[in-house]
Amino acid sequence: MKTISESRAHGGIQGVYSHGAMSTSCEMTFAVFVPPQANDTPCPLVWYLSGLTCTHQNVMDKGEYRRMAAELGLVIVCPDTSPRGDDVADDPDDWQLGKGAGFYVDATRKPWSGHYRMYTYITEELPEFIAGQFPVDMDRQAIFGHSMGGHGALTIALRHPERFRSCSAFAPIVAPSRAEWARKAFTAYLGEDEDRWVEYDATRLVESGKSFSEFLIDQGDADPFLEEGLKPELFQAACRKSGIPLTLRMQSGYDHSYNFISTFMNDHLRWHAERLTAPIR
Amino acid sequence: MKTISESRAHGGIQGVYSHGAMSTSCEMTFAVFVPPQANDTPCPLVWYLSGLTCTHQNVMDKGEYRRMAAELGLVIVCPDTSPRGDDVADDPDDWQLGKGAGFYVDATRKPWSGHYRMYTYITEELPEFIAGQFPVDMDRQAIFGHSMGGHGALTIALRHPERFRSCSAFAPIVAPSRAEWARKAFTAYLGEDEDRWVEYDATRLVESGKSFSEFLIDQGDADPFLEEGLKPELFQAACRKSGIPLTLRMQSGYDHSYNFISTFMNDHLRWHAERLTAPIR
């Protein structure tokens, strides 16, 4: 592991690190905030997955999570959103495909399948790496994210309900199969057979019988992507039909930016902490 | 005034605006956070001055001031640090001179004197402009800043004690005449006669008899600029001799970054709010 930077913040340490990743066949960068409580005991681990065009850095700079994470004793891990490097396939003219747009899937189609294996990276390789390097309690994990990262959080939680004690999202892409801004990438990464897309589509996962304890979603009603790409009502209908508790809060006047995310960050961290610090089931 | 962006945050509005400034003879950009309380009544105005290389954006992204400003009902104004534009003199190889390094002085030497009039801009033109455009109570103003911006806040408060009800700083340059990283810029902007530098040197202003009600300064003890460029002990000695109350807090393990600033932002905003919301003297 390479340490890119470490800096004291809110009593803990905000670090940026990189490592050579097998799954994505490239050097991957990620950010970790370790709260002061970790000096004494391993702390619960909260995964934050970022949205299109982002790296680990956007939420690190603008997410305003450190004060509350330090208060609650949570480790926050913020991975990158795609493989990186000069030899990694890309579509530099399209921010919805290629670098910055990994969509947390394992691509099966060339030229993407060589590096774009973010699902395996986020669910297998990086957790194992984090467990070996940081003072984390791997029996107490939560996951959340924004937009494309909300999609990642919901789908990963639905496929690993035994691992995550809570899941929430800010303005998530809940139905990528039915959102124009995801269909192009899904076609490129996974091919045209949409049956192969189900495992990466939160709404279709719920419709196919996958379940999770409960979800919290915040969505701004001034979000310019709300009607075209986000469509939380599709996920709400599926959860209702399946009996999965979903708290969907429409937030008046908020857009899709980190001003929206940072406003409700404390609510989400408290919600996760309540579930992470309850006695293990 | 041009509106560059406005976005709801923590119940208020974070905006970025620009205007054609007479004093600096260029278009100037600044950020304003207006808290929800301003819907009902004009709010106290807190000036945040940024450090070398920064624009309005660094603190807007990384300062984590909005939650507390919204709670306390404070308008936060974050100006740029220098004039901008293709025709503005610069030293692109030196981050301590030219664009991003205005040092809140009125330059008197060519080629700088045409645009580098940040003192007049910050103390006269921008306040008048803000008063006309935003719901602010100009009888309740405070000022703070970071590094070069801490220097700006201290010197401006010492020269306008009647205007500001409180002043604080994060890791300020307190004695630019005795700091290598300021001497080059001061020489360029003001000439070699160091008597002309006094009005822009907080320690020398105090030594020359200027006063202020009290100061709060936070300084990280892991700040790489502490010994070479910041030297808070010089200001402490001057304040002690003059009887000006100074709370200087050395913060263990903190560096010069926004991780340091954001950690102590709430303390500073509460400190200003206590003084701003007390009955007018």
Side-chain angles (χ1 to χ4, degrees):
Chain A
M1 182 169 76
K2 285 188 209 156
T3 299
I4 296 171
S5 66
E6 286 186 337
S7 175
R8 185 166 294 275
H10 295 287
I13 297 290
Q14 177 65 64
V16 180
Y17 312 93
S18 74
H19 67 142
M22 307 269 285
S23 48
T24 58
S25 300
C26 68
E27 189 79 6
M28 294 293 292
T29 303
F30 58 93
V32 180
F33 177 72
V34 176
Q37 293 87 340
N39 292 329
D40 301 320
T41 182
C43 288
L45 171 55
V46 182
W47 295 85
Y48 178 90
L49 303 185
S50 293
L52 285 162
T53 75
C54 291
T55 69
H56 66 282
Q57 189 159 1
N58 304 69
V59 69
M60 189 177 84
D61 285 353
K62 299 191 276 189
E64 301 187 11
Y65 58 79
R66 281 175 289 268
R67 180 178 301 278
M68 186 54 65
E71 186 177 311
L72 298 171
L74 304 174
V75 172
I76 312 288
V77 175
C78 307
D80 203 349
T81 56
S82 76
R84 303 284 176 179
D86 292 342
D87 63 333
V88 170
D90 193 18
D91 184 343
D93 298 326
D94 188 346
W95 58 280
Q96 299 170 358
L97 177 64
K99 291 179 190 174
F103 275 96
Y104 307 100
V105 307
D106 282 348
T108 55
R109 296 303 170 106
K110 288 184 179 172
W112 310 102
S113 50
H115 295 282
Y116 285 78
R117 301 189 67 237
M118 288 299 290
Y119 189 84
T120 296
Y121 176 69
I122 297 290
T123 61
E124 295 179 24
E125 185 168 7
L126 188 56
E128 190 171 328
F129 191 80
I130 294 285
Q133 298 280 349
F134 295 91
V136 288
D137 177 355
M138 297 300 280
D139 290 330
R140 298 178 191 267
Q141 293 186 63
I143 190 165
F144 71 147
H146 170 232
S147 195
M148 179 183 77
H151 143 76
L154 297 175
T155 53
I156 289 170
L158 283 162
R159 292 173 63 182
H160 299 274
E162 76 297 343
R163 184 186 300 178
F164 298 101
R165 302 182 71 179
S166 52
C167 175
S168 74
F170 303 104
I173 300 175
V174 297
S177 309
R178 282 170 270 184
E180 278 314 310
W181 64 350
R183 289 185 60 85
K184 180 178 171 186
F186 272 49
T187 304
Y189 297 151
L190 303 170
E192 292 185 356
D193 178 0
E194 296 190 20
D195 287 346
R196 302 293 175 87
W197 300 7
V198 175
E199 58 187 341
Y200 300 117
D201 183 310
T203 301
R204 293 178 69 187
L205 281 169
V206 171
E207 288 168 351
S208 75
K210 294 284 187 188
S211 193
F212 195 74
S213 52
E214 59 180 323
F215 295 109
L216 168 64
I217 292 178
D218 274 315
Q219 171 64 57
D221 71 3
D223 185 327
F225 302 111
L226 177 54
E227 292 183 15
E228 170 206 352
L230 298 172
K231 304 179 183 172
E233 67 281 3
L234 296 177
F235 191 63
Q236 188 177 39
C239 285
R240 194 169 285 158
K241 200 164 171 185
S242 291
I244 301 174
L246 164 65
T247 303
L248 172 59
R249 309 193 303 185
M250 298 302 294
Q251 302 289 2
S252 176
Y254 285 89
D255 61 24
H256 199 67
S257 75
Y258 271 93
N259 283 320
F260 159 63
I261 297 169
S262 63
T263 299
F264 299 102
M265 178 59 76
N266 280 5
D267 287 0
H268 284 240
L269 291 178
R270 280 199 203 94
W271 194 84
H272 289 294
E274 283 172 15
R275 286 148 185 83
L276 288 166
T277 57
I280 298 232
R281 289 157 293 195
Chain B
M1 183 169 77
K2 286 186 207 157
T3 298
I4 295 171
S5 67
E6 287 187 335
S7 175
R8 184 166 294 276
H10 295 287
I13 298 289
Q14 177 65 63
V16 179
Y17 312 93
S18 75
H19 66 142
M22 306 269 286
S23 47
T24 58
S25 301
C26 68
E27 189 79 7
M28 294 294 292
T29 302
F30 58 93
V32 180
F33 177 71
V34 176
Q37 293 86 341
N39 291 329
D40 301 320
T41 182
C43 288
L45 171 56
V46 182
W47 296 85
Y48 178 89
L49 303 185
S50 292
L52 284 163
T53 77
C54 290
T55 68
H56 67 283
Q57 188 159 1
N58 303 69
V59 68
M60 189 178 82
D61 285 353
K62 300 191 277 191
E64 301 187 11
Y65 58 78
R66 281 174 289 268
R67 182 179 300 279
M68 187 55 67
E71 186 177 309
L72 299 171
L74 304 174
V75 171
I76 312 289
V77 175
C78 306
D80 202 348
T81 56
S82 76
R84 304 283 175 178
D86 292 343
D87 64 331
V88 170
D90 193 19
D91 184 344
D93 298 326
D94 189 346
W95 57 280
Q96 299 170 357
L97 178 64
K99 292 180 190 174
F103 275 96
Y104 307 101
V105 308
D106 282 348
T108 55
R109 295 303 169 106
K110 288 184 177 173
W112 310 103
S113 51
H115 295 282
Y116 285 77
R117 301 190 67 237
M118 288 298 291
Y119 189 84
T120 296
Y121 176 69
I122 297 290
T123 60
E124 294 180 24
E125 184 169 8
L126 189 55
E128 190 172 329
F129 191 79
I130 295 286
Q133 297 281 347
F134 294 92
V136 289
D137 177 356
M138 298 300 282
D139 290 329
R140 299 178 190 268
Q141 293 187 62
I143 189 164
F144 70 149
H146 170 234
S147 196
M148 179 183 76
H151 142 76
L154 297 175
T155 52
I156 289 170
L158 284 162
R159 292 173 63 184
H160 299 275
E162 76 298 343
R163 184 186 302 180
F164 298 101
R165 302 183 70 178
S166 53
C167 174
S168 74
F170 303 105
I173 300 174
V174 297
S177 308
R178 282 170 269 183
E180 279 314 311
W181 65 349
R183 289 184 60 85
K184 180 177 170 186
F186 272 48
T187 305
Y189 297 151
L190 303 170
E192 293 185 356
D193 178 0
E194 297 190 20
D195 288 346
R196 302 292 176 88
W197 300 7
V198 175
E199 58 187 339
Y200 300 117
D201 184 310
T203 300
R204 293 177 70 188
L205 281 169
V206 171
E207 289 167 353
S208 76
K210 293 285 186 187
S211 192
F212 196 73
S213 52
E214 59 180 323
F215 294 109
L216 168 65
I217 292 178
D218 274 315
Q219 172 64 57
D221 71 5
D223 185 328
F225 303 110
L226 177 55
E227 292 182 17
E228 171 207 351
L230 298 172
K231 305 179 181 171
E233 67 279 4
L234 296 177
F235 190 64
Q236 189 178 38
C239 285
R240 193 170 287 157
K241 200 165 172 186
S242 291
I244 300 175
L246 163 65
T247 303
L248 171 60
R249 310 192 304 185
M250 297 302 294
Q251 302 289 1
S252 176
Y254 285 89
D255 61 23
H256 200 67
S257 74
Y258 271 93
N259 284 320
F260 158 64
I261 297 168
S262 63
T263 298
F264 300 103
M265 179 59 77
N266 281 4
D267 287 1
H268 284 240
L269 291 179
R270 280 199 205 93
W271 194 82
H272 289 293
E274 283 170 15
R275 286 149 183 82
L276 287 167
T277 57
I280 299 231
R281 289 159 291 196

